[in-house]
Amino acid sequence: MRQFFHFKMFTIATGIVLFSTITIGILTLRYVAEKGSVLEISLVESNLSLVRQTLNRIELLIAQQDQTLYAYTSSTTRDELLTRLQFPVAGNSKLVKQIYLLGAKDGSVLYPDAPDKNLVRFFKRRLAEESKLDQMPPLSLHHLHTAIDGKYHLFTLLPFNLPEDAHSYLLLMEYQLADLDLIFAPFTRELEPANYVCIRDYDNNLIYGTPVQTTVKYFVEQRFPNTFYKWLFQLVPRNADAIEQEARNRRLLNIFLVVVDLLLLLSAWFLVYMSRREEIRLTRQKEEFIRNVSHELKTPLALIKMFSEILLMGRGQDERTRQESLESIFAEPERMTD
């Protein structure tokens, strides 16, 4: 009963050890996987934050240039305004391709005298619909990013009224998009040593920079908030493959260490199990030996006792009987000794 109790307790302990080992292994593997995911998410978030900062700086550059339009609205008459338009105000004039003065109602071009015909057609037919001029409060800046005959344009719109004129007007600042380096290079130059930078439109046409693979794990993209809102700013670390390989190696190393730990735990349990089995085997041998010795002792002792009683009680009167009893008493210890 006692041995059965010890065996039962050992079986229960073995089950607990196995369950604990497997549980620790599963939890450790999950922790390793989650830690790797957290590191990947952190890197992606860091890249996204970098992209947002860059976009904000580009938008700030455009916003600073947009502010120069307000200088023209201080004119009191249309003639004064037309005269001012001939002399650009302070600002980064390299970014500006042309400033237009339009009638807000019909989209007619009042300045310059010989505008691009495609732009005039666009102003008259589509500008009112796309920019929703009737919903623009006076002196509020708006951006219009659109494609005209397959070429992208960026306009800043500023509706206003002159004090001595009942008509409504619209100032349009067209940005120079023939050389995008003027706008993007000062900002992308800081990113390019460690990243591939690319700007695409929604049709996946390359606008600026180096084409990137969108399937790369650490690829991030962000839409321009207000200005070039039909374009996507994309970024991929130049060492994305090396980062992924390093992360993969780290995961494999962690998994290998976890497996080694599990094997060590199982090996320790196996040694304990084998030691317990050997202990049980020795205990059984000892018990079997004791049973055999007990059995071997009982029979000769019984015979010695029986013949001794015969002699003591005087039952063996003749010499032959006494001799046989003495021989039996002597023979049994000899046999036990052998």
Side-chain angles (χ1 to χ4, degrees):
M1 181 64 69
R2 193 173 185 181
Q3 182 180 352
F4 175 76
F5 174 77
H6 286 304
F7 178 77
K8 185 176 181 181
M9 294 301 296
F10 178 76
T11 304
I12 295 174
T14 300
I16 293 174
V17 170
L18 285 175
F19 177 77
S20 301
T21 303
I22 295 173
T23 302
I24 291 173
I26 293 174
L27 293 178
T28 306
L29 289 174
R30 285 191 59 184
Y31 171 76
V32 170
E34 290 175 359
K35 186 177 180 181
S37 299
V38 169
L39 291 175
E40 293 172 3
I41 292 172
S42 299
L43 181 57
V44 171
E45 288 294 333
S46 175
N47 290 338
L48 273 176
S49 177
L50 189 62
V51 169
R52 293 190 189 102
Q53 292 176 9
T54 304
L55 294 184
N56 289 336
R57 293 174 63 191
I58 295 173
E59 299 249 319
L60 180 60
L61 174 67
I62 300 296
Q64 291 172 346
Q65 185 63 47
D66 290 344
Q67 296 300 316
T68 61
L69 284 178
Y70 285 107
Y72 298 105
T73 62
S74 60
S75 305
T76 56
T77 64
R78 187 165 75 175
D79 291 339
E80 181 183 352
L81 175 59
L82 293 173
T83 302
R84 286 191 174 186
L85 287 172
Q86 298 176 13
F87 303 95
V89 297
N92 191 347
S93 58
K94 293 182 180 180
L95 298 178
V96 179
K97 180 178 180 181
Q98 180 65 53
I99 297 179
Y100 299 89
L101 176 65
L102 279 68
K105 292 185 178 180
D106 57 3
S108 58
V109 180
L110 305 177
Y111 179 87
D113 295 332
D116 185 281
K117 293 183 179 180
N118 291 332
L119 289 178
V120 172
R121 185 165 57 251
F122 171 76
F123 293 155
K124 288 185 177 181
R125 296 182 182 179
R126 297 170 56 193
L127 182 60
E129 178 182 354
E130 292 195 16
S131 59
K132 300 179 181 179
L133 293 178
D134 57 336
Q135 299 180 13
M136 292 185 184
L139 298 179
S140 61
L141 288 170
H142 302 269
H143 293 101
L144 178 61
H145 189 213
T146 187
I148 303 175
D149 295 334
K151 294 182 179 181
Y152 279 101
H153 296 259
L154 175 65
F155 300 99
T156 298
L157 287 66
L158 179 65
F160 69 101
N161 299 314
L162 292 176
E164 301 179 5
D165 197 327
H167 296 89
S168 298
Y169 297 95
L170 185 67
L171 280 172
L172 266 79
M173 180 184 291
E174 182 183 7
Y175 281 89
Q176 181 65 265
L177 299 189
D179 185 6
L180 292 176
D181 279 338
L182 293 173
I183 300 175
F184 299 125
F187 307 101
T188 59
R189 192 179 296 118
E190 301 174 6
L191 303 176
E192 287 175 347
N195 304 278
Y196 294 107
V197 178
C198 175
I199 298 177
R200 294 181 180 272
D201 61 12
Y202 285 141
D203 295 326
N204 206 33
N205 297 314
L206 179 65
I207 304 298
Y208 179 81
T210 305
V212 300
Q213 295 181 1
T214 59
T215 56
V216 176
K217 194 166 190 176
Y218 301 102
F219 164 83
V220 294
E221 69 177 7
Q222 192 79 18
R223 183 176 68 89
F224 284 83
N226 299 310
T227 54
F228 302 98
Y229 50 80
K230 290 194 175 182
W231 291 350
L232 296 169
F233 192 98
Q234 301 175 339
L235 180 141
V236 172
R238 290 183 180 271
N239 60 341
D241 293 336
I243 294 174
E244 176 60 20
Q245 184 62 41
E246 182 181 354
R248 188 182 298 111
N249 292 339
R250 192 185 303 113
R251 284 195 299 269
L252 291 176
L253 176 61
N254 290 331
I255 292 173
F256 173 75
L257 293 177
V258 170
V259 172
V260 169
D261 289 342
L262 290 176
L263 289 177
L264 290 175
L265 285 172
L266 290 175
S267 299
W269 169 82
F270 180 74
L271 292 176
V272 173
Y273 173 74
M274 294 302 295
S275 176
R276 178 60 181 167
R277 283 192 61 181
E278 182 66 14
E279 180 183 355
I280 293 174
R281 186 182 68 81
L282 293 175
T283 301
R284 287 177 178 173
Q285 285 184 348
K286 181 177 68 174
E287 292 175 351
E288 184 178 356
F289 173 75
I290 293 174
R291 284 196 301 269
N292 292 335
V293 170
S294 299
H295 176 73
E296 293 296 329
L297 286 175
K298 283 180 181 180
T299 301
L301 288 176
L303 291 174
I304 292 172
K305 182 180 180 181
M306 181 185 69
F307 288 115
S308 298
E309 287 178 352
I310 291 175
L311 293 174
L312 289 173
M313 295 177 68
R315 293 180 181 177
Q317 299 297 329
D318 54 7
E319 186 62 26
R320 182 181 178 184
T321 301
R322 285 198 302 269
Q323 187 64 31
E324 288 178 354
S325 297
L326 289 173
E327 288 177 357
S328 296
I329 292 173
F330 180 78
E332 290 301 324
E334 287 292 325
R335 186 175 65 82
M336 291 172 60
T337 302
D338 291 338

